[in-house]
Amino acid sequence: MKILVTGATGYIGKRLIPLLLNDGHIVVCAVRDKDRAKSYFRGRKNIELVEADFLSFTSLESIPKDIDFAYYLIHSMSNSAKEFHVLEEKCAFNFKRFAEQTTLKQVIYLSGITNDTKLSKHLLSRKNVENTLASKKYALTTFKAGIIVGSGSSSFEIIRDLVEKLPAMIAPKWLDTKTQPLGIRDVLSFLHRAIGKKKLYNKSFDVFGPEVLTYKEMLLQFSEVRKLKRWIYTVPIMTPKLSSYWLYFVTSTSYKLASTLVNSMGVEVIGKKSDINKILDVQPMSYKQAVEFAFVKIKQNSIISSWKDSYISSGKLKNYVHEFINVPKHGCFKDFKKRKVENRERTLNRIWAIGGETGWYYGTFLWKIRGFIDQFYGGAGLRRGRRHPSELNAGDALDFWRVIYADKEKGKLLLYAEMILPGEAWLEFKIEEGILCQTATFRPHGLAGRLYWYAVMPFHWFVFNGMINNINK
């Protein structure tokens, strides 16, 4: 069958696509940036990448019309756009308008549980999208999930940060809100097994784990899995804004995402029972089991997708990495260094392991200070780390950088700075004809940018010099 997947480079999409390919289906991935997606799906058979932006109906012409089934996985957890719900509804309307011109039989939509009478604006938007997608030309199957537990998911990583960093917590009262967490494996099972099931046509199902837990209980059970003793005290005096800052400074989340999560966490996420588990033969695992499975993936370095690689965690980039691939030459300051390479493979492996737990090979203390300053002013800091210790793909988050280009065979890695800066910055590593070239480029914005460059120039000399020497050991 030919299956269309929207949101193909998102947290769910990147995990669902391999399951569909293993079944022998042809998968059409609708992505906004084909250059970014190529690195994710390199070497895969039966996969077709098409560039489409569902905010623009005319851009959907590139999507084939002979599709059998489709997954609608377009979500926005960012509240950067004040009218994001209007944009989400527009995406859904354009998708429906396109889908009704195709041979599509069924659309499978992953939404959020929306049973509470008082919904956050994001959950309300999910509900409106479901209403928009409904059609007489194709069947709509909606799965509504609450907190998704899996390696790399935003909820999992935030809980992990809180538990592993804080022995004791004075926390907001919304930690007493009830929810029904669901493991990522079970989410994928529901989505995967729903294809072509006529019993599910034009129906909506809440999918959830077997336990009703408060966020506080989730934190404490997580600490039990990690064999850590933790104390949590909830207080009623934390406003949503203070709660957002609390999450932002303690965890690896961005402030925008923290604010969105805080607004949603005040809403109880309790699902309505149905026979969906029996129909699809899915028996959801407990919360503790989901956490344990997540750590198996982490230990195996096999995290397929992470919310940190989404542009939600970006302070600067919005959609397209290829727009930043051509490093400017004019009006820029550069720090250029080169060294003769004795062992190309060893040097490349060190370049590809840069950042995260490995660090930046020189001046670690200075990098940490720069990360703290960035976080203080609302940037990502060094908290995002990296998804995998030795793999890099275009679009990946790498501390306060974003991977713009990564080709190990060609010996080139290009990073774009997402730290708070009075300008734009790139860091490039390239091996050509046995020479390692390391280039830091800064394009200043006005006088402030120029003053910044001259202020940090002495530190750059030591840091970049030490870095290239240690990379090329």
XYZ file of all heavy atoms in Angstrom, residues 53-112:
494
model
N 4.256 22.247 2.490
C 3.931 23.032 3.678
C 2.415 23.139 3.731
O 1.795 23.764 2.861
C 4.570 24.415 3.588
C 4.326 25.255 4.841
O 3.519 24.832 5.685
O 4.940 26.330 4.957
N 1.800 22.541 4.725
C 0.348 22.481 4.767
C -0.311 23.822 5.075
O -1.539 23.928 5.045
C -0.104 21.398 5.751
C 0.055 20.015 5.193
C 1.236 19.314 5.354
C -0.965 19.438 4.460
C 1.392 18.054 4.810
C -0.820 18.169 3.913
C 0.370 17.479 4.077
N 0.494 24.836 5.340
C -0.057 26.183 5.439
C -0.300 26.776 4.058
O -0.996 27.780 3.918
C 0.893 27.086 6.236
C 0.949 26.843 7.741
C 2.052 27.673 8.377
C -0.397 27.179 8.390
N 0.293 26.166 3.039
C 0.144 26.624 1.659
C -0.435 25.497 0.811
O 0.248 24.508 0.535
C 1.499 27.072 1.096
O 1.420 27.313 -0.289
N -1.674 25.644 0.384
C -2.341 24.575 -0.362
C -1.623 24.276 -1.677
O -1.522 23.115 -2.093
C -3.803 24.943 -0.628
C -4.554 23.885 -1.373
C -4.947 22.717 -0.744
C -4.845 24.043 -2.731
C -5.625 21.717 -1.437
C -5.519 23.050 -3.426
C -5.910 21.887 -2.774
N -1.109 25.304 -2.339
C -0.457 25.085 -3.640
C 0.792 24.222 -3.518
O 1.172 23.535 -4.471
C -0.080 26.428 -4.292
O 0.741 27.185 -3.373
C -1.320 27.237 -4.633
N 1.436 24.223 -2.346
C 2.645 23.417 -2.166
C 2.339 21.928 -2.072
O 3.245 21.087 -2.149
C 3.410 23.862 -0.914
O 2.764 23.416 0.270
N 1.066 21.574 -1.931
C 0.692 20.175 -1.774
C 0.580 19.445 -3.115
O 0.334 18.238 -3.144
C -0.636 20.064 -1.021
C -0.749 20.830 0.306
C -2.053 20.491 0.998
C 0.433 20.545 1.219
N 0.776 20.170 -4.196
C 0.682 19.565 -5.529
C 1.736 18.484 -5.751
O 1.563 17.602 -6.594
C 0.818 20.652 -6.602
C -0.352 21.643 -6.614
C -0.136 22.762 -7.619
O 0.942 22.778 -8.263
O -1.023 23.630 -7.756
N 2.829 18.565 -4.991
C 3.909 17.585 -5.159
C 3.585 16.226 -4.536
O 4.261 15.231 -4.792
C 5.206 18.116 -4.541
O 5.021 18.377 -3.149
N 2.545 16.156 -3.716
C 2.170 14.904 -3.060
C 1.364 14.048 -4.036
O 0.408 14.526 -4.643
C 1.336 15.166 -1.792
C 2.076 16.102 -0.841
C 1.012 13.850 -1.075
C 1.266 16.503 0.386
N 1.728 12.771 -4.219
C 0.969 11.905 -5.139
C -0.470 11.716 -4.666
O -0.745 11.723 -3.461
C 1.753 10.595 -5.124
C 2.566 10.633 -3.881
C 2.866 12.063 -3.608
N -1.369 11.538 -5.603
C -2.789 11.407 -5.268
C -3.252 9.944 -5.181
O -4.386 9.674 -4.772
C -3.627 12.170 -6.283
C -3.501 13.689 -6.167
C -4.460 14.397 -7.110
C -4.536 15.889 -6.805
N -3.251 16.570 -6.912
N -2.386 9.014 -5.549
C -2.779 7.595 -5.504
C -2.404 6.952 -4.176
O -1.842 5.861 -4.120
C -2.149 6.834 -6.665
C -0.628 6.886 -6.643
O -0.074 7.837 -6.055
O 0.011 5.976 -7.214
N -2.716 7.632 -3.083
C -2.381 7.112 -1.757
C -3.575 6.355 -1.178
O -4.733 6.656 -1.473
C -1.952 8.239 -0.786
C -2.978 9.370 -0.775
C -0.585 8.766 -1.144
C -2.666 10.467 0.222
N -3.284 5.354 -0.360
C -4.334 4.513 0.227
C -4.717 4.956 1.640
O -5.893 4.981 1.990
C -3.866 3.057 0.262
C -3.549 2.524 -1.126
O -4.466 2.502 -1.954
O -2.382 2.162 -1.374
N -3.694 5.260 2.446
C -3.927 5.645 3.840
C -3.000 6.808 4.192
O -1.991 7.032 3.521
C -3.672 4.463 4.782
C -4.562 3.279 4.509
C -4.143 2.244 3.681
C -5.828 3.209 5.066
C -4.957 1.163 3.405
C -6.659 2.114 4.796
C -6.219 1.094 3.970
N -3.344 7.528 5.250
C -2.514 8.672 5.651
C -2.513 8.820 7.167
O -3.509 8.511 7.845
C -3.026 9.956 5.005
N -1.383 9.279 7.684
C -1.256 9.632 9.109
C -1.142 11.151 9.215
O -0.297 11.763 8.549
C -0.021 8.983 9.722
C -0.148 7.502 9.959
C 0.273 6.587 9.002
C -0.711 7.024 11.146
C 0.145 5.217 9.214
C -0.837 5.659 11.365
C -0.409 4.760 10.403
O -0.539 3.420 10.621
N -1.996 11.717 10.045
C -1.920 13.160 10.283
C -1.251 13.365 11.643
O -1.861 13.176 12.697
C -3.314 13.801 10.267
C -3.252 15.311 10.223
C -3.101 15.988 9.018
C -3.321 16.056 11.387
C -3.026 17.373 8.967
C -3.255 17.441 11.357
C -3.106 18.090 10.147
O -3.027 19.467 10.100
N 0.029 13.735 11.600
C 0.843 13.877 12.820
C 1.374 15.294 12.966
O 2.414 15.518 13.588
C 2.009 12.879 12.783
C 1.636 11.401 12.624
C 2.896 10.543 12.468
C 0.801 10.917 13.804
N 0.676 16.248 12.379
C 1.113 17.644 12.447
C 0.619 18.247 13.752
O -0.585 18.351 13.990
C 0.572 18.450 11.250
C 1.106 17.876 9.942
C 0.947 19.921 11.381
C 0.492 18.496 8.706
N 1.572 18.612 14.618
C 1.241 19.240 15.898
C 2.179 20.403 16.138
O 3.275 20.463 15.586
C 1.396 18.261 17.069
C 0.397 17.145 17.059
N -0.939 17.345 16.859
C 0.558 15.811 17.220
C -1.570 16.179 16.909
N -0.681 15.235 17.120
N 1.744 21.315 16.979
C 2.626 22.410 17.395
C 2.505 22.570 18.896
O 1.429 22.887 19.401
C 2.240 23.721 16.709
O 2.984 24.795 17.254
N 3.621 22.337 19.604
C 3.632 22.568 21.053
C 4.196 23.939 21.376
O 4.324 24.325 22.522
C 4.481 21.506 21.745
C 3.767 20.182 21.924
S 2.305 20.303 22.951
C 3.043 20.575 24.550
N 4.572 24.687 20.362
C 5.144 26.013 20.585
C 4.027 27.039 20.665
O 3.064 27.001 19.913
C 6.089 26.386 19.440
O 6.521 27.720 19.573
N 4.153 27.966 21.616
C 3.164 29.040 21.694
C 3.758 30.349 21.212
O 3.344 31.426 21.601
C 2.632 29.187 23.122
C 3.718 29.597 24.104
O 4.898 29.632 23.763
N 3.326 29.898 25.321
N 4.784 30.257 20.340
C 5.426 31.469 19.856
C 4.478 32.288 18.991
O 4.548 33.498 18.949
C 6.690 31.117 19.055
O 6.369 30.252 17.987
N 3.583 31.590 18.280
C 2.593 32.306 17.480
C 1.329 32.474 18.325
O 0.759 31.513 18.814
C 2.279 31.523 16.212
N 0.889 33.719 18.506
C -0.268 33.976 19.352
C -1.520 33.311 18.801
O -2.432 32.971 19.542
C -0.469 35.487 19.503
C 0.638 36.167 20.309
C 0.373 37.650 20.476
C 1.475 38.308 21.288
N 1.259 39.765 21.453
N -1.597 33.146 17.503
C -2.764 32.527 16.892
C -2.385 31.165 16.308
O -2.784 30.810 15.205
C -3.328 33.442 15.811
C -3.832 34.774 16.362
C -4.470 35.646 15.290
O -4.367 35.282 14.103
O -5.069 36.662 15.644
N -1.616 30.395 17.053
C -1.155 29.099 16.547
C -2.329 28.183 16.239
O -2.277 27.370 15.311
C -0.210 28.428 17.547
C -0.917 27.754 18.690
C -1.217 26.410 18.646
C -1.300 28.476 19.801
C -1.887 25.797 19.695
C -1.975 27.875 20.843
C -2.264 26.532 20.791
N -3.428 28.297 17.007
C -4.594 27.443 16.774
C -5.214 27.718 15.406
O -5.747 26.809 14.767
C -5.635 27.649 17.877
C -6.111 29.062 18.011
N -5.339 30.048 18.583
C -7.271 29.658 17.622
C -6.006 31.193 18.562
N -7.160 30.984 17.973
N -5.103 28.970 14.939
C -5.590 29.306 13.601
C -4.723 28.622 12.548
O -5.217 28.088 11.551
C -5.583 30.837 13.387
C -6.008 31.177 11.956
C -6.497 31.518 14.401
N -3.397 28.612 12.793
C -2.471 27.964 11.864
C -2.694 26.456 11.829
O -2.657 25.836 10.758
C -1.026 28.281 12.254
C -0.636 29.766 12.295
C 0.831 29.922 12.687
C -0.885 30.433 10.946
N -2.929 25.855 12.995
C -3.173 24.415 13.043
C -4.462 24.051 12.296
O -4.517 23.061 11.563
C -3.265 23.941 14.494
C -1.921 23.910 15.202
C -1.904 22.948 16.371
O -2.966 22.752 16.980
O -0.837 22.387 16.658
N -5.475 24.872 12.461
C -6.742 24.616 11.772
C -6.585 24.789 10.255
O -7.169 24.039 9.469
C -7.821 25.559 12.306
C -9.222 25.137 11.917
C -10.302 25.897 12.669
O -10.010 26.458 13.743
O -11.436 25.931 12.164
N -5.753 25.752 9.868
C -5.502 25.972 8.436
C -4.779 24.772 7.834
O -5.104 24.328 6.725
C -4.683 27.246 8.238
C -4.471 27.616 6.771
C -3.717 28.928 6.624
C -3.537 29.283 5.155
N -2.789 30.560 4.990
N -3.783 24.235 8.572
C -3.068 23.037 8.099
C -4.048 21.881 7.902
O -4.010 21.172 6.883
C -1.992 22.629 9.097
S -0.525 23.672 9.095
N -4.940 21.690 8.878
C -5.913 20.597 8.801
C -6.877 20.800 7.639
O -7.215 19.847 6.920
C -6.683 20.491 10.116
N -7.318 22.038 7.434
C -8.247 22.326 6.337
C -7.587 22.070 4.985
O -8.199 21.465 4.092
C -8.717 23.776 6.424
C -9.625 24.178 5.296
C -10.970 23.809 5.296
C -9.142 24.910 4.221
C -11.810 24.164 4.244
C -9.971 25.275 3.167
C -11.318 24.896 3.178
N -6.336 22.498 4.823
C -5.619 22.273 3.561
C -5.379 20.791 3.317
O -5.470 20.311 2.181
C -4.297 23.037 3.557
C -4.486 24.525 3.344
O -5.498 24.961 2.791
N -3.528 25.323 3.782
N -5.056 20.051 4.396
C -4.872 18.606 4.265
C -6.166 17.948 3.792
O -6.168 17.118 2.870
C -4.437 17.999 5.599
C -4.388 16.495 5.603
C -3.250 15.827 5.205
C -5.513 15.751 5.966
C -3.217 14.434 5.175
C -5.492 14.367 5.944
C -4.337 13.712 5.548
N -7.265 18.310 4.433
C -8.565 17.733 4.071
C -8.910 18.063 2.617
O -9.352 17.186 1.856
C -9.629 18.275 5.013
C -11.047 17.859 4.650
C -12.040 18.504 5.611
C -13.473 18.177 5.222
N -14.441 18.772 6.177
N -8.697 19.295 2.237
C -9.007 19.735 0.862
C -8.200 18.932 -0.151
O -8.722 18.514 -1.184
C -8.703 21.225 0.757
C -9.085 21.875 -0.558
C -8.746 23.353 -0.492
N -8.698 23.963 -1.806
C -8.155 25.150 -2.052
N -7.600 25.838 -1.052
N -8.140 25.648 -3.269
N -6.918 18.683 0.190
C -6.082 17.877 -0.693
C -6.525 16.412 -0.682
O -6.674 15.775 -1.725
C -4.612 17.976 -0.260
C -3.748 16.880 -0.803
C -3.288 16.910 -2.109
C -3.422 15.781 -0.011
C -2.515 15.882 -2.625
C -2.648 14.749 -0.513
C -2.194 14.800 -1.828
N -6.748 15.869 0.518
C -7.065 14.446 0.675
C -8.345 14.063 -0.056
O -8.480 12.937 -0.556
C -7.177 14.100 2.160
N -9.273 14.982 -0.108
C -10.548 14.684 -0.767
C -10.409 14.573 -2.288
O -11.344 14.154 -2.959
C -11.583 15.747 -0.395
C -12.046 15.630 1.054
C -13.091 16.659 1.439
O -13.177 17.713 0.774
O -13.833 16.408 2.407
N -9.249 14.942 -2.811
C -8.981 14.816 -4.250
C -8.182 13.558 -4.579
O -7.777 13.351 -5.714
C -8.215 16.056 -4.743
C -8.925 17.372 -4.517
C -8.052 18.564 -4.864
O -6.959 18.419 -5.413
N -8.531 19.754 -4.547
N -7.930 12.726 -3.577
C -7.084 11.544 -3.747
C -7.905 10.261 -3.628
O -9.121 10.298 -3.436
C -5.971 11.506 -2.681
O -6.559 11.228 -1.395
C -5.235 12.844 -2.611
N -7.206 9.134 -3.710
C -7.855 7.819 -3.536
C -7.823 7.353 -2.080
O -7.996 6.171 -1.788
C -7.138 6.778 -4.412
O -5.732 6.767 -4.080
C -7.293 7.108 -5.889
N -7.616 8.276 -1.188
C -7.447 7.985 0.236
C -8.677 7.302 0.833
O -9.813 7.720 0.618
C -7.170 9.295 0.966
C -6.709 9.260 2.410
C -5.420 8.471 2.558
C -6.495 10.685 2.911
N -8.438 6.236 1.616
C -9.527 5.497 2.273
C -9.676 5.892 3.744
O -10.783 5.965 4.269
C -9.267 3.990 2.200
C -9.152 3.434 0.780
C -8.881 1.935 0.834
C -8.651 1.366 -0.565
N -7.339 1.794 -1.117
N -8.521 6.119 4.417
C -8.557 6.344 5.867
C -7.448 7.298 6.285
O -6.313 7.202 5.796
C -8.395 5.004 6.607
C -8.378 5.105 8.132
C -7.905 3.814 8.784
O -7.162 3.038 8.168
N -8.309 3.576 10.028
N -7.779 8.214 7.178
C -6.797 9.097 7.816
C -6.736 8.742 9.289
O -7.778 8.622 9.961
C -7.174 10.584 7.657
C -6.239 11.471 8.475
C -7.124 10.990 6.188
N -5.527 8.551 9.804
C -5.327 8.243 11.226
C -4.675 9.461 11.878
O -3.584 9.896 11.475
C -4.453 6.993 11.402
C -5.117 5.794 10.716
C -4.219 6.705 12.889
C -4.229 4.575 10.617
N -5.341 10.004 12.861
C -4.914 11.252 13.504
C -4.588 11.003 14.969
O -5.386 10.409 15.699
C -6.023 12.300 13.367
C -5.854 13.542 14.200
C -4.657 14.247 14.233
C -6.920 14.050 14.956
C -4.514 15.398 15.001
C -6.801 15.201 15.719
C -5.591 15.865 15.739
O -5.449 17.011 16.496
N -3.415 11.441 15.390
C -3.025 11.340 16.798
C -3.285 12.677 17.475
O -2.672 13.690 17.133
C -1.548 10.958 16.935
C -1.030 10.843 18.370
C -1.771 9.739 19.133
C 0.469 10.575 18.391
N -4.172 12.666 18.451
C -4.576 13.881 19.149
C -4.305 13.724 20.645
O -3.577 12.816 21.066
C -6.063 14.143 18.881
O -6.487 15.337 19.508
N -4.878 14.596 21.441
C -4.737 14.533 22.892
C -6.088 14.290 23.545
O -7.140 14.614 22.975
